[in-house]
Amino acid sequence: MRPDSPVSGPTRADALALDAVDPLTGFRERFTLPKDVLYLDGNSLGALPAHTPERLRRMVEEEWGQGLIRSWNEAGWYDLPRGLGNRLAPLVGAAPDQVVVCDSTSVNLFKVLSAALRLRPGRGTVVSELGSFPTDLYMTEGLAPARRLLIGRDGDALEDLLGEDTAVVLLSHVDYRTGRLQDMAAVTARVQAAGALMVWDLCHSVGALPVELDACGADFAVGCGYKYLNGGPGAPAFLYAATRHLTDARQPLSGWFGHAAPFAMSPDYRPADGVGRFLTGTPPLLSLAGLDASLDVWEDVDLASVRAKSLSLTSFFLRLTDALGLETVTPRAEAERGSQISLRHESAYAVVQALIARGVIGDFREPDIMRFGFTPLYVSHTDVWDAAEALRQVLDTREWADARFAARASVT
Ligand SMILES: *Cc1c(COP(=O)(O)O)cnc(C)c1O
């Protein structure tokens, strides 16, 4: 690496100085990462916590292998979806007994959107956003009787679409493509003033910044276990329902795990008291074990420090990419920024592939976005500087133009 390029941006020495005063540096060793990789994709799949393999081994060899079916009671399997919900609750600003860990974000979206629609009889419209992560749009499409309106289509803003028929508004707290952060308190208040319920998708904010669902008065929320939370590939998602809705809310995937007394084996469904009514079927215990292990790390984390470091990392990267003359689509105002920087480039896919070939892992999002996620627990300012330097070289040398970087893989 050249010691002080890019020319007009901050230097590697600046990065080292910032790392020297980073209160989170100790967390890096709690993750296992390959030596030759700079990982800027923890917003898509979080890294492996160092003690997760031991937790998985225990689940497989001891709880399953030796405990067999006894582990449902003796190893606490049965209570795990609620128990992990309570461990996760502080990360989303929720008092206990409003969060469960279960299913995927997509499935949980279906449950909370359906429940919210039923809580607003006489209203039939769901408002979401054209630029949303596609599964959020697809799941609202699957809510058969609901009318769907999209912010951003025909230039409409939220205010233009909120009306007497609006039952629910679904928004991402941080936009997966641009990294824009919404003002959760203000938007929730606006939606509720129009008589609708507010559902937040926290996939790109949980574990990246403090989230205050209770304080903002959110109605429902969902989020991912495998991104910033580091629960492992395909880790179960979570679902939040505010206490005030827990008596009346009914969700349509009324499986036996959400029943008040599953082992009564009654022919009729009766929802469990509390947030457990949002469960559906038998949970994937092996995957829950991965999330269980990752939540051990979060117990020791101060979210204000995570946010401060996240902004420091993204700001540092922005200064470097500004020096390279690259166009950013992520808001420059810190209050409107999540924990990623998205850059526009006409050959974005090939540039990202060329970076990956150098061990600098970011990702590509349609149509022309290079996306770099900054996970404060295991990414340093020096990593950021080295990644920007690799980007500079890939662009300067047109390394990305090599034919082998043009072919699309099935996961981008
Ligand atoms: C990652 C992500 C999802 C993923 O949904 P799955 O059901 O886990 O595949 C949903 N919504 C948003 C905004 C995401 O970023």
Side-chain angles (χ1 to χ4, degrees):
M1 299 279 173
R2 289 165 37 178
D4 60 356
S5 58
V7 185
S8 53
T11 64
R12 199 162 194 277
D14 295 332
L16 286 164
L18 287 165
D19 288 340
V21 294
D22 169 13
L24 297 178
T25 101
F27 283 95
R28 172 67 184 76
E29 68 192 29
R30 295 180 66 174
F31 292 88
T32 304
L33 284 156
K35 277 200 181 53
D36 47 359
V37 158
L38 292 177
Y39 195 55
L40 302 183
D41 214 1
N43 53 334
S44 229
L45 175 64
L48 171 67
H51 69 294
T52 293
E54 168 53 23
R55 176 72 184 95
L56 294 183
R57 189 205 59 76
R58 204 170 74 221
M59 169 68 80
V60 172
E61 293 181 6
E62 296 171 22
E63 297 180 19
W64 176 16
Q66 300 301 313
L68 294 165
I69 200 153
R70 294 171 290 192
S71 288
W72 278 105
N73 291 315
E74 290 169 12
W77 287 359
Y78 183 72
D79 296 321
L80 213 49
R82 290 176 183 81
L84 293 186
N86 279 335
R87 291 187 71 197
L88 201 152
L91 297 175
V92 294
D97 301 328
Q98 302 175 98
V99 180
V100 276
V101 167
C102 55
D103 302 309
S104 63
T105 299
S106 304
V107 171
N108 288 337
L109 273 169
F110 189 75
K111 291 188 275 191
V112 298
L113 290 168
S114 303
L117 271 164
R118 289 188 191 191
L119 288 169
R120 283 291 175 271
R123 292 174 174 235
T125 300
V126 177
V127 174
S128 59
E129 197 171 18
L130 184 64
S132 291
F133 191 88
T135 207
D136 299 47
L137 296 173
Y138 304 157
M139 295 314 284
T140 61
E141 237 183 282
L143 292 166
R147 192 163 79 104
R148 221 162 61 106
L149 292 175
L150 294 177
I151 297 164
R153 180 167 278 175
D154 307 321
D156 288 326
L158 177 61
E159 287 67 25
D160 304 320
L161 300 180
L162 278 178
E164 302 209 322
D165 192 54
T166 311
V168 195
V169 176
L170 163 67
L171 292 174
S172 285
H173 190 202
V174 172
D175 185 280
Y176 82 104
R177 189 188 277 121
T178 63
R180 184 186 48 139
L181 170 66
Q182 295 269 8
D183 182 340
M184 180 178 280
V187 174
T188 302
R190 227 180 301 150
V191 166
Q192 291 172 344
L197 296 176
M198 185 70 219
V199 177
W200 287 104
D201 184 326
L202 305 177
C203 283
H204 285 274
S205 54
V206 64
L209 46 102
V211 177
E212 297 291 348
L213 289 172
D214 284 351
C216 294
D219 294 293
F220 296 96
V222 296
C224 250
Y226 53 79
K227 292 175 179 163
Y228 291 94
L229 293 185
N230 313 308
F238 67 89
L239 177 160
Y240 161 93
T243 302
R244 63 183 176 281
H245 295 311
L246 287 177
T247 313
D248 294 334
R250 295 291 292 260
Q251 58 100 357
L253 302 181
S254 41
W256 72 313
F257 263 70
H259 194 281
F263 287 89
M265 301 289 179
S266 155
D268 300 310
Y269 184 77
R270 189 160 52 85
D273 285 341
V275 72
R277 66 181 49 196
F278 282 92
L279 298 176
T280 297
T282 306
L285 268 305
L286 300 182
S287 294
L288 284 174
L291 189 63
D292 191 23
S294 66
L295 289 174
D296 293 344
V297 178
W298 286 105
E299 271 185 7
D300 303 328
V301 171
D302 165 34
L303 283 173
S305 303
V306 166
R307 177 62 170 158
K309 182 169 173 191
S310 159
L311 289 173
S312 179
L313 294 170
T314 51
S315 297
F316 193 67
F317 189 67
L318 261 182
R319 284 167 64 199
L320 289 159
T321 56
D322 280 351
L324 297 176
L326 290 164
E327 179 191 354
T328 176
V329 298
T330 303
R332 287 180 179 276
E334 293 192 342
E336 295 171 28
R337 193 195 304 156
S339 200
Q340 73 187 57
I341 296 292
S342 298
L343 305 171
R344 182 170 281 138
H345 190 280
E346 59 180 7
S347 299
Y349 184 80
V351 174
V352 168
Q353 294 315 301
L355 282 170
I356 292 172
R358 283 171 169 255
V360 178
I361 303 182
D363 63 21
F364 162 81
R365 285 295 175 263
E366 291 284 358
D368 55 1
I369 301 292
M370 306 191 277
R371 192 175 70 154
F372 300 96
F374 299 91
T375 46
L377 297 188
Y378 53 85
V379 170
S380 67
H381 296 84
T382 317
D383 293 336
V384 172
W385 194 91
D386 290 344
E389 171 62 10
L391 178 57
R392 184 189 70 76
Q393 291 178 16
V394 162
L395 294 172
D396 278 4
T397 60
R398 290 183 60 85
E399 197 170 297
W400 57 267
D402 190 297
R404 74 197 153 112
F405 299 133
R408 294 277 170 105
S410 47
V411 174
T412 62

